[in-house]
Amino acid sequence: MAVWRRHPSNIRDLEQFAKEEWSKIPAEHFYRLKSSIQYLARKDLPNLAYQKLKGKSPGVIFLPGFASDMNAQKAVALEDFCKSLGHSFIRFDYSGCGGSEGNMKECTIGKWKKDVLSILDDVSEGPQILVGSSMGGWLMLLAALARPEKIAALVGVAPAADHFVTVFNQLPLEERKAAEDTGEWKLASKYSEDGFYSIPCSFIKEAENHCLLNSPIPITSPVRLIHGMKDEDVPWHVSMQIADRVLSTDVDVILRKHGLHRMSEKDDIKLLVYTIDDLIDKLTTLG
């Protein structure tokens, strides 16, 4: 690199040197640096941090999992993929997560659903493929029900529909009673530094209003569900339940025999990219 070719001897030379070296950076790299986080301002709601890549339709929106953010490995990989195809892409942080405003302890499934709808309504343009990871897969379904006209297709990665409610209700009676007495449930998780997430019981109660798996799900867009059979957090059977419940006739479930919950291995991401590429090709052809 040019930085090693000469050594400025004083501040004035250093400033000139810096300007010269900065000017050598290709324009596209400079744009990449400057296209950092943007914020969606919302009246009486937390501002949402997001990154948007403009391009063709259908666009792709990535919905992260619980306590995750828009810098997740899958999100970045999908952005690179969409950029290579020239399609639009949006990744964002829920309220109380990542760069967005808000207190995560005060968030609910309903509030995070509103976040997704805000991105759909105020940031995206045209039909979108929603890609939901874990809890994002649950929110993906809720958003599709609320905004069917905005949805081109859905791709769930270890979708965790009804997850918190299901796991809580499966606890022994004494554990549930102890949680209700303290108002807090400690959900064991290897992804938390503490080894668990503290979930307010009010969060579970509110989440019950958004459960989907006990009745037909009136979604008619194409649906692709990818799940690892070694997933110890959200059983792969949940994807089978979703496939059974949605009314769409264009539904594929893809099981990876050795796949884990996060589905972030190189081959997992290749499969995700291939699945979205195939959907875009199909949607473009039909359009």
Side-chain angles (χ1 to χ4, degrees):
M1 291 177 63
V3 70
W4 298 111
R5 290 181 190 150
R6 57 188 175 90
H7 303 275
S9 57
N10 56 52
I11 293 297
R12 182 171 295 176
D13 286 346
L14 179 60
E15 289 177 346
Q16 182 60 33
F17 172 68
K19 288 179 182 178
E20 291 174 7
E21 295 307 314
W22 185 257
S23 69
K24 295 174 184 176
I25 299 176
E28 65 270 22
H29 291 179
F30 179 76
Y31 175 78
R32 182 69 174 175
L33 289 171
K34 297 297 285 184
S35 66
S36 56
I37 297 174
Q38 301 179 68
Y39 292 90
L40 175 63
R42 305 183 296 169
K43 186 178 180 181
D44 301 325
L45 290 171
N47 291 346
L48 297 181
Y50 71 93
Q51 290 191 350
K52 180 179 180 179
L53 179 70
K54 292 186 177 182
K56 297 181 291 186
S57 290
V60 177
I61 303 178
F62 181 79
L63 282 58
F66 180 77
S68 187
D69 59 38
M70 63 173 153
N71 294 316
Q73 196 173 353
K74 292 187 289 292
V76 175
L78 287 182
E79 182 177 66
D80 290 340
F81 166 68
C82 287
K83 185 176 182 180
S84 72
L85 280 189
H87 279 259
S88 68
F89 179 78
I90 298 170
R91 50 189 171 117
F92 70 101
D93 290 333
Y94 304 125
S95 301
C97 302
S100 291
E101 293 181 348
N103 183 347
M104 187 173 174
K105 290 186 177 180
E106 297 174 358
C107 291
T108 62
I109 294 296
K111 288 180 179 179
W112 284 331
K113 172 188 167 183
K114 284 184 180 179
D115 293 348
V116 180
L117 297 182
S118 291
I119 295 294
L120 273 171
D121 293 341
D122 301 324
V123 180
S124 74
E125 300 169 26
Q128 302 294 316
I129 298 174
L130 299 188
V131 181
S133 178
S134 191
M135 183 190 75
W138 186 0
L139 296 173
M140 166 190 82
L141 296 169
L142 294 172
L145 289 170
R147 298 289 188 275
E149 73 282 0
K150 296 257 186 180
I151 306 303
L154 303 177
V155 179
V157 183
D162 301 6
H163 178 66
F164 299 104
V165 176
T166 301
V167 175
F168 184 79
N169 288 338
Q170 289 174 346
L171 292 174
L173 181 60
E174 58 272 18
E175 284 188 41
R176 271 184 288 157
K177 188 175 185 309
E180 288 164 356
D181 289 343
T182 61
E184 190 175 81
W185 169 39
K186 287 183 168 52
L187 172 63
S189 175
K190 58 190 172 187
Y191 308 117
S192 169
E193 290 181 2
D194 298 323
F196 62 87
Y197 290 116
S198 294
I199 311 287
C201 286
S202 57
F203 178 94
I204 304 298
K205 194 70 178 173
E206 195 277 341
E208 291 175 354
N209 299 319
H210 306 287
C211 287
L212 297 170
L213 298 180
N214 292 322
S215 58
I217 304 172
I219 290 173
T220 56
S221 59
V223 178
R224 302 291 180 266
L225 305 169
I226 305 172
H227 220 125
M229 297 181 74
K230 299 290 186 182
D231 190 336
E232 297 178 351
D233 301 287
V234 180
W236 58 267
H237 302 89
V238 173
S239 280
M240 303 302 291
Q241 286 180 278
I242 295 171
D244 182 56
R245 292 297 187 185
V246 294
L247 298 184
S248 173
T249 56
D250 186 358
V251 180
D252 290 339
V253 180
I254 305 165
L255 299 177
R256 286 189 62 77
K257 187 171 183 178
H258 299 291
L260 303 175
H261 179 62
R262 286 195 166 178
M263 296 290 288
S264 292
E265 296 297 321
K266 187 176 180 180
D267 286 343
D268 298 332
I269 292 176
K270 278 184 179 179
L271 174 60
L272 175 59
V273 166
Y274 171 80
T275 301
I276 296 170
D277 188 31
D278 185 62
L279 270 175
I280 288 175
D281 185 57
K282 179 175 183 175
L283 293 166
T284 303
T285 302
L286 290 174

